[in-house]
Amino acid sequence: MAETSRLFTKGFLSLTIAQFFGAVNDNLLKGVLSFAVASGGLWSGQLGAGGQGYVGLCLTIPFILLSGFAGQLADRTSKRRITVLVKIAEVFIALIGFAGFLMGNLWLTLAALLILAIQSSFFGPAKYGMIPELVGKEQLSQANGSINMFTNLAVIAGTLAAGPVYSFYAPEPGSSLSPMLWLPGVAMLLTAILGLIVALPIPKLEAMDPELKINWNPFSVYYHAVRDMAGSHLLLVASAWAFFYMIGMLAILILPDYRDLLQVTPTKASILLGILGISIGIGSVSAGLISGKHIEPRLIPVGAVGMTLFFALLGLTPLNFTLVAILLAGAGIFAGFYIVPLQALLQHLSPDDERGRFLGTANALSFIASSLGSLIFLAARSHFQLASNHVFLICAALALVGSGFLIWRLRPLITDPALRGN
C-alpha cells in the first residue's frame, strides 16, 4: 500500500489528472450529442422531445449492470492496473466516436458513448478505492475535495468545448463555415491519449483481496453488499450520495435546452454547463478546506438547503442569461458542500478489504438514481410537456424531501464529534 500522510503525492496527482482527462471525454461526447439531439440540433427529433434523456441513459445503464463486478475486480486486482487498462480502452473508444461523427451517424456515436460508460464503470471503484491507498485517512476530505474540483474543472472543459466543437461540426444555417466532421473525434482521441500518459506514473498497488472469488451475478453482489452495508450507516450514506446524482442528472439534462429557451448559440449555452461545473468545484474545494484533516458531516444539510433554494429560484425566476448563471453558481457551490463529506464518509466507513465492493455498489446506486433522473426528465418533457426551466422545480422538491429524509436518518453521523476530531 502506498498510503502516506501527504496529499499531493505523485500517485494522487497522476490519478487526479487521469480522472480529469477521462471526465473531459465523457462530457465532451455527451455535450456534443446533447446539443445534436436537443431542440434545434442536427439530430433533433430523431429521439423525440427531451431526447437528451436517452443520451443520459446511455451513460448510466452500464454503471448499474457492471459496477458490482467492477467493485469486486477492484478488490481482487491492483487498482493501478485497472486504471491503465481502462485508459488504453478509452483510446480505442475514441476511434469509434471519431468514425461515428465522421459518418454523421447518431447510432454509432451513441454506441461510443455507451462503450465509454462501460469503460468508466470499471474505473469508478478503482479510482475512489485507490484514494485511501495513496493518501492517509486524515487527508480523505481534502483528497476528495481536490479530486472533485479537478473533476468539475473537467466538466467545465468538456462542456465548454462541446458548444464550439458542435458549432464547428454542424454550423448554424446561413453560416459561412464548412462542417468540420473530424473535429469531435480528434478532440476525443487526443484527450484519451493524454489520459493514458498521465496514468502511467501511478505507483504499483497490491490487490487487497487477490483470492476473492468473483460473483458474476451483479444483482446478487448488490444484494449482499446492501445487506452488509445496512448493518452500519454506510447504506444511508450511499443512498444520500446517490440521491445527489439523480438531482444532478436532471440539472445537466435541462441546460442544453437553454439554447432554445434563451435563443443563444450552443457555445453560450455550454457556458451555463461550465458555470455549474466551476461552482461545484469551488464548493468541493471549500468543503475540503473547511473540513481540514477531518470529515465535516455538518456540511451535508447546509448543502441540501442551499440546493433546494437555488433550484427553486431557477424554476421560478424569469429567463435571463445572467440571472440563470448566478443561480446555477449558487446551486453548484452548495452541491459541493453536500457531496464531499458524503464521499469521504463512504471511503472512511468501508473496510479496506471490501472497499471496492462497497464503492462499486454505491456507484451502482448513484447510477440507478441518475437513470431515474433521466426518466423523470423524459416524463416531464415528453409526457407532461413541462418547460425545461420548470423542471428545476422538480430538482428543488427532490432536494428538499429526499435529502431531508436521508439527513434526518444520518443525524448520529452528522453530530458525531469523533469524525471532526473533537
Side-chain angles (χ1 to χ4, degrees), residues 294-295 416-422:
H294 307 288
I295 299 172
D416 185 357
L419 289 170
R420 303 192 298 272
N422 295 345

Side-chain angles (χ1 to χ4, degrees), residues 96-118:
I96 297 172
F98 181 92
F101 282 115
L102 198 62
M103 296 164 61
N105 189 311
L106 168 62
W107 306 108
L108 191 55
T109 51
L110 279 174
L113 183 65
L114 188 68
I115 303 168
L116 191 63
I118 292 170

Side-chain angles (χ1 to χ4, degrees), residues 17-89:
I17 300 171
Q19 158 66 6
F20 173 88
F21 284 118
V24 167
N25 251 349
D26 289 349
N27 286 278
L28 175 63
L29 178 55
K30 183 182 71 177
V32 173
L33 271 172
S34 293
F35 280 123
V37 302
S39 301
L42 175 68
W43 295 323
S44 176
Q46 290 197 33
L47 298 177
Q52 58 266 45
Y54 292 109
V55 174
L57 287 173
C58 284
L59 203 58
T60 57
I61 288 174
F63 283 88
I64 298 169
L65 297 176
L66 297 171
S67 289
F69 174 63
Q72 295 177 85
L73 201 63
D75 286 333
R76 182 176 174 174
T77 311
S78 164
K79 297 177 183 65
R80 190 259 184 196
R81 183 183 180 197
I82 292 172
T83 299
V84 172
L85 288 175
V86 298
K87 287 298 170 184
I88 292 171

